[in-house]
Amino acid sequence: MRSVAMLKNGLSQSFSIQPTWTVESVKQVRYHVIAVNDLFDPSETALLRACPEAPLAAGDRRLVVIDSNVATLHGDRIAAWFTANGVDATILVVHADETVKDWESVTRVVDKMNEFGIDRRREPVIAIGGGVLLDVVGFATSLYRRGTPYIRIPTTLVGLVDAGVGVKTGVNYERGKNRIGTYAPAIATFADRTFLRTLDDRHLANGLAEILKLALVKSAELFTLLQKFGPELIADHFQGTTPQTDQAARQVVTEAIHLMLEELQPNLWETTLERCVDYGHTFSPVLEITALPGLLHGEAVCIDMALTSVLGFRRGDVSGAELDQILSVMTQLRLPIWDEVLTRPGILDAALADTVRHRDGQQRLPLPLGIGRHRFVNDVTPAELAAGLDHLAAAAAQRIGDKFADAG
Ligand SMILES: NC(=O)c1ccc[n+]([C@@H]2O[C@H](COP(=O)([O-])OP(=O)(O)OC[C@H]3O[C@@H](n4cnc5c(N)ncnc54)[C@H](O)[C@@H]3O)[C@@H](O)[C@H]2O)c1
């Protein structure tokens, strides 16, 4: 068949028996992650001026969606800030944790946007909360009128270094973690450590798991910082009450955001499925959803990292001393390296099979190379997983035994 392609007003058209038009367009993405100290301090104006795409001024109105726990702990201060700045804030308080990361929560936000009659260009929804709230609001705004701008204000450590800085939104569906969602960047994220003051230790550790992930695959320096300051950062809630912890908290959060964005920017739409930020996320989605509400996201990620560090050791990529350091830092950060959910027959094979479907037919499994580097493998077998699991069980049991021995 004769076919001649030509460009007509920028559109390519080929002449054949069936004329065919090929449309190509690139969507430019630009968003800001802005570190702020105490965003809702009465004298702080970052939210008014720091985001050129969405300037906020007295007389404007905004829809503000707040996680219910954050509303209880910080709601008065937040409302007072909007009042003091003459912004008419309609506040929607939403219960947001993993058990309600679902369609119903999305619908509540969409209903409120509809009732508010949001201007889809000039009135970004302001989302304030943890990773769940940010994912739910991001998803709802990306659906409403096929895309309405939003601003993220994370209030958990996971939100600050992970859920708040990328472009993914979504909710769980049936037994599938984040099974439905979109790629929808917020126009800006304000990273403010002061919210962590009220976050409990378990959720601080949960966020440290995502930071540890980046350290293990990308930065031995960050690993050393966690090793040195991790327990103090939890005790201090990242508030920097001494000059030393202030510097450590600043450094750990800044470095984690930087390392994450460095990985995300060239691969925002996950064109490449070999992503080192998926370290710890091969087995954890199924572990987390199966154990729900027993394991937090970061806890499931940490168990996955403990297992894959063992796999790395058994392949000769991680030394015995390095494995020991990795498992010790996990324990120091109060993260689990084992959970009973691992003993469910076939759970690891099922989790790997699910991930292979998600990664276009291949394992693309990031494994650590020492501390601070990684490689991808595609040849993990059920036998290797079973041996790795036995190894991890023994290492975890020994650590628990050591803890009791120390206490005695
Ligand atoms: N979109 C992404 O790229 C991405 C990345 C990582 C994680 N996530 C998602 O993030 C979720 C986990 O986020 P999370 O760990 O923030 O959990 P979360 O949103 O459930 O928050 C944890 C708990 O802390 C409460 N809370 C929030 N801020 C608080 C504060 N300042 N003080 C006291 N309590 C507070 C919440 O109400 C909740 O009960 C998971 O669903 C995960 O899938 C998304």
Side-chain angles (χ1 to χ4, degrees):
M1 182 193 315
R2 206 167 65 86
S3 165
V4 180
M6 70 171 280
L7 257 185
K8 199 172 164 191
N9 294 337
L11 190 64
S12 37
Q13 185 179 346
S14 72
F15 297 96
S16 60
I17 291 173
Q18 292 176 301
T20 304
W21 288 262
T22 303
V23 177
E24 269 186 57
S25 177
V26 177
K27 186 176 180 191
Q28 166 137 29
V29 168
R30 184 164 190 265
Y31 64 92
H32 318 274
V33 178
I34 304 151
V36 189
N37 186 29
D38 205 357
L39 187 64
F40 292 107
D41 180 280
S43 63
E44 178 55 67
T45 55
L47 192 51
L48 296 177
R49 62 188 160 72
C51 179
E53 290 83 350
L56 185 58
D60 287 346
R61 55 173 212 154
R62 286 293 183 270
L63 176 59
V64 183
V65 187
I66 310 187
D67 172 309
S68 56
N69 285 325
V70 177
T72 305
L73 295 161
H74 303 270
D76 290 348
R77 244 162 65 82
I78 294 172
W81 184 92
F82 282 106
T83 306
N85 286 284
V87 176
D88 178 10
T90 296
I91 294 184
L92 171 67
V93 175
V94 177
H95 173 52
D97 61 37
E98 203 63 38
T99 60
V100 288
K101 194 179 181 190
D102 54 22
W103 259 123
E104 216 172 296
S105 298
V106 176
T107 309
R108 287 196 62 198
V109 178
V110 169
D111 284 348
K112 196 67 186 180
M113 289 170 77
N114 209 32
E115 185 189 312
F116 187 83
I118 208 147
D119 180 315
R120 73 183 179 116
R121 292 277 153 78
R122 283 175 295 144
E123 291 179 330
V125 175
I126 299 176
I128 309 177
V132 169
L133 188 283
L134 301 181
D135 276 2
V136 166
V137 175
F139 191 27
T141 54
S142 71
L143 297 177
Y144 192 71
R145 290 180 181 266
R146 301 192 182 90
T148 302
Y150 73 111
I151 289 174
R152 287 179 298 213
I153 302 173
T155 59
T156 61
L157 191 52
V158 169
L160 271 178
V161 300
D162 199 339
V165 301
V167 298
K168 293 202 271 188
T169 79
V171 295
N172 304 330
Y173 183 73
E174 306 253 305
R175 303 292 296 163
K177 170 101 182 111
N178 295 327
R179 195 45 56 91
I180 42 176
T182 52
Y183 294 98
I187 49 180
T189 291
F190 291 91
D192 177 6
R193 274 189 287 136
T194 44
F195 282 106
L196 305 183
R197 182 170 45 85
T198 56
L199 195 64
D200 62 44
D201 290 2
R202 188 174 173 204
H203 281 97
L204 288 168
N206 187 44
L208 279 162
E210 293 285 5
I211 299 177
L212 178 62
K213 167 190 81 176
L214 292 164
L216 289 176
V217 291
K218 268 182 81 75
S219 169
E221 292 77 22
L222 183 57
F223 183 83
T224 306
L225 273 176
L226 293 177
Q227 209 171 20
K228 213 162 152 194
F229 293 107
E232 277 181 86
L233 292 177
I234 296 177
D236 191 39
H237 287 236
F238 282 75
Q239 297 307 292
T241 46
T242 67
Q244 210 185 21
T245 54
D246 190 42
Q247 201 197 345
R250 208 178 288 274
Q251 225 177 328
V252 165
V253 171
T254 311
E255 191 58 14
I257 292 176
H258 188 85
L259 290 170
M260 180 62 96
L261 289 175
E262 200 173 72
E263 282 304 308
L264 296 185
Q265 181 174 262
N267 190 26
L268 262 192
W269 316 117
E270 300 184 338
T271 326
T272 304
L273 291 171
E274 283 188 348
R275 295 171 8 111
C276 72
V277 288
D278 280 343
Y279 183 53
H281 292 70
T282 299
F283 305 99
S284 64
V286 166
L287 299 181
E288 181 183 350
I289 212 101
T290 308
L292 193 69
L295 284 177
L296 298 178
H297 179 73
E299 293 170 343
V301 167
C302 190
I303 290 169
D304 182 317
M305 296 193 296
L307 175 67
T308 43
S309 295
V310 166
L311 297 185
F313 166 72
R314 295 175 64 83
R315 285 176 175 237
D317 290 343
V318 172
S319 72
E322 286 165 339
L323 178 62
D324 200 44
Q325 283 187 65
I326 293 170
L327 297 180
S328 294
V329 167
M330 289 170 171
T331 312
Q332 273 172 32
L333 298 180
R334 305 190 202 180
L335 287 163
I337 57 172
W338 179 264
D339 187 89
E340 282 312 298
V341 74
L342 288 166
T343 60
R344 300 225 186 164
I347 193 162
L348 291 182
D349 299 332
L352 185 56
D354 198 47
T355 293
V356 165
R357 270 195 297 280
H358 189 63
R359 295 186 189 150
D360 197 24
Q362 289 191 46
Q363 293 180 350
R364 306 177 207 270
L365 174 60
L367 283 186
L369 269 182
I371 292 172
R373 292 179 307 124
H374 63 276
R375 70 183 177 114
F376 292 92
V377 303
N378 283 301
D379 58 356
V380 171
T381 61
E384 182 180 1
L385 278 182
L389 192 61
D390 286 347
H391 190 130
L392 180 63
Q398 193 198 337
R399 266 155 208 282
I400 292 167
D402 289 350
K403 210 160 84 182
F404 286 130
D406 288 349

